[in-house]
Amino acid sequence: MIPTIYKKISWLQSNPTILKKIFRGIERETLRTTKYGEIINKHHPYNTLGSSLTHKWITTDFSESLLEFITPTHININYTLKFLQDIHKFVQNNLNKEYFWPLSIPPYIKSINSILLAKYGTSNIGKLKTLYRKGLQNRYGTLMNIISGVHYNFSFSNNFWNLWIKIKNIKNSKSNSISKGYLCLIRNYHRYGWIIPYLFGASPAIESFFLKNKQNIYNLKKHKKILYLPWSTSLRLSNLGHTNLTINKLSLTFNSLSEYLSTLKYFMHTSSKNFENIGMYDNEGNLKQINTNLLQIENELYTYIRPKPKFKKNEKLSVTLKKKGIQYIEIRTLDINPFSCIGIEKNQILLLDLFLIWCILIESPKICQNELKSLIENWNIVILKGRKPQQKINIYTYNCKKTIETIGKNLFQDFFYIAEILDYQSKTNNYQKACNQLINYFDHPELTYSEKILNHFINFGIHETGMILSSKNKKKINRTPFKKMSNKKLKNEVLQSKINQKIIETEDKLNFEQYLNLYYNTNF
């Protein structure tokens, strides 16, 4: 019914060390709020948290109040989670009267105008980052841009790729071969990645203010101030959430890196009538967006998973991707876990590891346009009604439909094989325990994050649930000691980030108009 890794098990067993080094990193977004769940409308605290432009681990996303915590890449899951917890603790200590909003969907906002766009200083790169966000605001509105999530960065070791290239008998250069491998993984993620919002989606409802001046396109049910779908998993991933209309027109199949880059190039150099109507300048002569193209920059492309190179902040992603190839992938389908004080828990990482390994091991034929339509439909079904009993989705390859429960359990059969090998290496049973727990979610959807949080929303309200959880999380973070970083080391990074920002600002040789023109015309 679906591909299986059964034939690859012997290969894994005979080469157990190839999965020993998996590199992981986490990016967690969260809004700063008061204890009453009101979004803080103050600037990012530069004095205590440092420069949001150059700090390695603490920055901002769309707005000054939307924090983003970034862990370094590491092979140890516990290290990564403890590091993320240390960041939370340090920031919480320096924002004594503020809280971290524990939900992906933002709290009620009295005035959209109170949301301050993120600022990054006077350097050209800092101004570009702010202008990009100004463009996002004008194109899609403020609400969409303060929806929060968790991104999971993942890559295999050189040892893995050496053996994978050998068994696949690929004759290209190593960087091209690795890119091909990651594209195989990405295609399979599009085929079966809906399992992530099914298991871990946690935004099944929104507050009624979210639809102000908008059509109720999904016929959401209403309970007091709550709008919801009874079987939904992640409205954040729907057209009500953090998405844009461009993605539906892209027809991205991820069949080759050159195709991906040419598609990006087309959309970054093709003007949009809708965005032309916004205009380039306001009444005071200030820029309103970087350009009027379908994509201002690469990051405006909102996809479930992104191919990424390792690049510096002043480099253009597409240029580096063409030069270095794909070096890791970024998973973008995780809602904030409302039941974790750091937005994600270990079992989620264990499951993601198993699934991503599975995605690279099974066959991954190229995606045609008809299959792409089928895959998009599957994601929409799971996002909007994934917990519905006996809900079926398409299996394009076999031209049939099966229930989410049936497909999910079949996937887990393979996950158990991989889990056993990983646990044997580490002399633990962590992966198998995670499988045993999470497979139950298919027989008992009431165990999923989405159903559990929906029950809280209906009983207490979304805003009230957010306040309860944020207060609970703050107390837990305050009680937890630093594990991997000390307060002193984190303070030193604050100081260093300020120095680094000043260096960037003093090194600028071009005015912003010249810089923008050079950036825009940099060849792919």
Short mmCIF file of all heavy atoms in Angstrom, two decimals, residues 3-15 167 358 361-363 414 417 421:
data_model
loop_
_atom_site.label_atom_id
_atom_site.label_comp_id
_atom_site.label_asym_id
_atom_site.label_seq_id
_atom_site.Cartn_x
_atom_site.Cartn_y
_atom_site.Cartn_z
N PRO A 3 5.23 2.58 0.44
CA PRO A 3 6.59 2.03 0.40
C PRO A 3 7.04 1.55 1.77
O PRO A 3 6.55 2.02 2.81
CB PRO A 3 7.44 3.23 -0.05
CG PRO A 3 6.47 4.16 -0.69
CD PRO A 3 5.16 3.97 0.00
N THR A 4 7.94 0.60 1.80
CA THR A 4 8.45 0.08 3.06
C THR A 4 9.97 0.05 3.02
O THR A 4 10.57 -0.07 1.95
CB THR A 4 7.91 -1.34 3.34
OG1 THR A 4 8.53 -1.84 4.53
CG2 THR A 4 8.18 -2.27 2.17
N ILE A 5 10.59 0.14 4.18
CA ILE A 5 12.05 0.10 4.25
C ILE A 5 12.54 -1.31 4.57
O ILE A 5 13.71 -1.50 4.88
CB ILE A 5 12.60 1.08 5.30
CG1 ILE A 5 12.10 0.69 6.70
CG2 ILE A 5 12.31 2.50 4.98
CD1 ILE A 5 12.99 1.17 7.81
N TYR A 6 11.66 -2.30 4.49
CA TYR A 6 12.05 -3.66 4.90
C TYR A 6 13.37 -4.09 4.26
O TYR A 6 14.24 -4.67 4.90
CB TYR A 6 10.94 -4.65 4.57
CG TYR A 6 11.23 -6.05 5.02
CD1 TYR A 6 11.15 -6.38 6.38
CD2 TYR A 6 11.63 -7.03 4.12
CE1 TYR A 6 11.43 -7.66 6.82
CE2 TYR A 6 11.93 -8.32 4.54
CZ TYR A 6 11.83 -8.63 5.89
OH TYR A 6 12.13 -9.89 6.32
N LYS A 7 13.53 -3.79 2.96
CA LYS A 7 14.75 -4.20 2.24
C LYS A 7 15.97 -3.41 2.71
O LYS A 7 17.10 -3.84 2.48
CB LYS A 7 14.55 -4.01 0.74
CG LYS A 7 13.52 -4.95 0.14
CD LYS A 7 13.37 -4.71 -1.35
CE LYS A 7 12.32 -5.65 -1.95
NZ LYS A 7 12.13 -5.41 -3.40
N LYS A 8 15.75 -2.25 3.34
CA LYS A 8 16.87 -1.43 3.78
C LYS A 8 17.32 -1.78 5.20
O LYS A 8 18.36 -1.31 5.65
CB LYS A 8 16.48 0.06 3.75
CG LYS A 8 16.08 0.59 2.39
CD LYS A 8 17.26 0.71 1.48
CE LYS A 8 17.02 1.55 0.24
NZ LYS A 8 15.72 1.48 -0.38
N ILE A 9 16.53 -2.58 5.90
CA ILE A 9 16.84 -2.89 7.29
C ILE A 9 18.19 -3.59 7.41
O ILE A 9 19.01 -3.26 8.27
CB ILE A 9 15.74 -3.74 7.93
CG1 ILE A 9 14.46 -2.91 8.09
CG2 ILE A 9 16.17 -4.28 9.29
CD1 ILE A 9 14.62 -1.69 8.95
N SER A 10 18.46 -4.56 6.54
CA SER A 10 19.73 -5.28 6.60
C SER A 10 20.90 -4.32 6.35
O SER A 10 21.97 -4.45 6.95
CB SER A 10 19.76 -6.42 5.59
OG SER A 10 19.56 -5.92 4.27
N TRP A 11 20.69 -3.34 5.45
CA TRP A 11 21.72 -2.33 5.17
C TRP A 11 21.99 -1.50 6.42
O TRP A 11 23.14 -1.23 6.77
CB TRP A 11 21.28 -1.45 4.01
CG TRP A 11 22.26 -0.37 3.66
CD1 TRP A 11 23.52 -0.54 3.15
CD2 TRP A 11 22.07 1.04 3.80
NE1 TRP A 11 24.12 0.69 2.94
CE2 TRP A 11 23.25 1.69 3.34
CE3 TRP A 11 21.02 1.83 4.24
CZ2 TRP A 11 23.41 3.06 3.33
CZ3 TRP A 11 21.17 3.22 4.23
CH2 TRP A 11 22.35 3.81 3.78
N LEU A 12 20.91 -1.09 7.11
CA LEU A 12 21.07 -0.33 8.34
C LEU A 12 21.76 -1.16 9.42
O LEU A 12 22.64 -0.67 10.14
CB LEU A 12 19.71 0.14 8.86
CG LEU A 12 19.04 1.32 8.14
CD1 LEU A 12 17.66 1.57 8.75
CD2 LEU A 12 19.88 2.57 8.22
N GLN A 13 21.35 -2.41 9.54
CA GLN A 13 21.93 -3.27 10.57
C GLN A 13 23.41 -3.55 10.34
O GLN A 13 24.18 -3.67 11.29
CB GLN A 13 21.14 -4.59 10.65
CG GLN A 13 19.75 -4.42 11.21
CD GLN A 13 18.90 -5.67 11.10
OE1 GLN A 13 19.15 -6.51 10.22
NE2 GLN A 13 17.91 -5.82 11.97
N SER A 14 23.80 -3.63 9.08
CA SER A 14 25.21 -3.88 8.76
C SER A 14 26.05 -2.60 8.80
O SER A 14 27.27 -2.67 8.80
CB SER A 14 25.34 -4.54 7.38
OG SER A 14 24.79 -3.71 6.38
N ASN A 15 25.38 -1.45 8.83
CA ASN A 15 26.09 -0.15 8.92
C ASN A 15 25.47 0.69 10.04
O ASN A 15 24.98 1.80 9.80
CB ASN A 15 25.99 0.60 7.59
CG ASN A 15 26.66 -0.13 6.45
OD1 ASN A 15 27.88 -0.13 6.33
ND2 ASN A 15 25.86 -0.76 5.60
N ILE A 167 25.50 3.21 -2.20
CA ILE A 167 24.44 2.22 -2.44
C ILE A 167 23.51 2.66 -3.57
O ILE A 167 22.94 1.84 -4.29
CB ILE A 167 23.63 1.95 -1.14
CG1 ILE A 167 22.83 0.65 -1.28
CG2 ILE A 167 22.70 3.10 -0.80
CD1 ILE A 167 22.13 0.23 -0.01
N TRP A 358 13.18 7.57 7.62
CA TRP A 358 12.31 6.76 6.74
C TRP A 358 12.16 7.42 5.38
O TRP A 358 12.22 6.76 4.34
CB TRP A 358 10.96 6.59 7.42
CG TRP A 358 9.97 5.74 6.67
CD1 TRP A 358 9.86 4.38 6.71
CD2 TRP A 358 8.96 6.21 5.77
NE1 TRP A 358 8.84 3.97 5.88
CE2 TRP A 358 8.27 5.07 5.30
CE3 TRP A 358 8.56 7.46 5.31
CZ2 TRP A 358 7.20 5.15 4.40
CZ3 TRP A 358 7.50 7.54 4.43
CH2 TRP A 358 6.84 6.40 3.98
N LEU A 361 15.15 6.76 3.23
CA LEU A 361 15.45 5.36 2.91
C LEU A 361 14.51 4.76 1.86
O LEU A 361 14.93 3.92 1.06
CB LEU A 361 15.39 4.51 4.19
CG LEU A 361 16.50 4.76 5.21
CD1 LEU A 361 16.30 3.89 6.44
CD2 LEU A 361 17.88 4.51 4.60
N ILE A 362 13.25 5.16 1.86
CA ILE A 362 12.32 4.57 0.90
C ILE A 362 12.49 5.23 -0.47
O ILE A 362 13.08 6.29 -0.59
CB ILE A 362 10.85 4.71 1.36
CG1 ILE A 362 10.43 6.18 1.43
CG2 ILE A 362 10.63 4.01 2.68
CD1 ILE A 362 8.95 6.38 1.55
N GLU A 363 11.97 4.58 -1.47
CA GLU A 363 12.05 5.13 -2.82
C GLU A 363 11.27 6.43 -2.91
O GLU A 363 10.25 6.61 -2.24
CB GLU A 363 11.50 4.13 -3.84
CG GLU A 363 12.32 2.85 -3.96
CD GLU A 363 13.77 3.12 -4.34
OE1 GLU A 363 14.00 3.94 -5.27
OE2 GLU A 363 14.67 2.55 -3.70
N ASP A 414 7.39 0.54 10.13
CA ASP A 414 8.75 0.83 9.70
C ASP A 414 9.51 1.63 10.75
O ASP A 414 10.71 1.43 10.96
CB ASP A 414 8.74 1.60 8.38
CG ASP A 414 8.62 0.69 7.18
OD1 ASP A 414 8.61 -0.54 7.36
OD2 ASP A 414 8.52 1.22 6.05
N TYR A 417 11.24 -0.52 13.25
CA TYR A 417 12.50 -1.12 12.78
C TYR A 417 13.66 -0.14 12.98
O TYR A 417 14.73 -0.50 13.48
CB TYR A 417 12.42 -1.44 11.28
CG TYR A 417 11.53 -2.61 10.92
CD1 TYR A 417 10.61 -2.50 9.89
CD2 TYR A 417 11.63 -3.83 11.59
CE1 TYR A 417 9.79 -3.57 9.54
CE2 TYR A 417 10.83 -4.91 11.24
CZ TYR A 417 9.90 -4.77 10.22
OH TYR A 417 9.11 -5.83 9.86
N ILE A 421 17.11 -0.06 15.85
CA ILE A 421 18.52 0.14 15.47
C ILE A 421 19.12 1.34 16.21
O ILE A 421 20.23 1.28 16.73
CB ILE A 421 18.64 0.30 13.95
CG1 ILE A 421 18.28 -1.01 13.25
CG2 ILE A 421 20.04 0.74 13.55
CD1 ILE A 421 18.10 -0.90 11.76
#
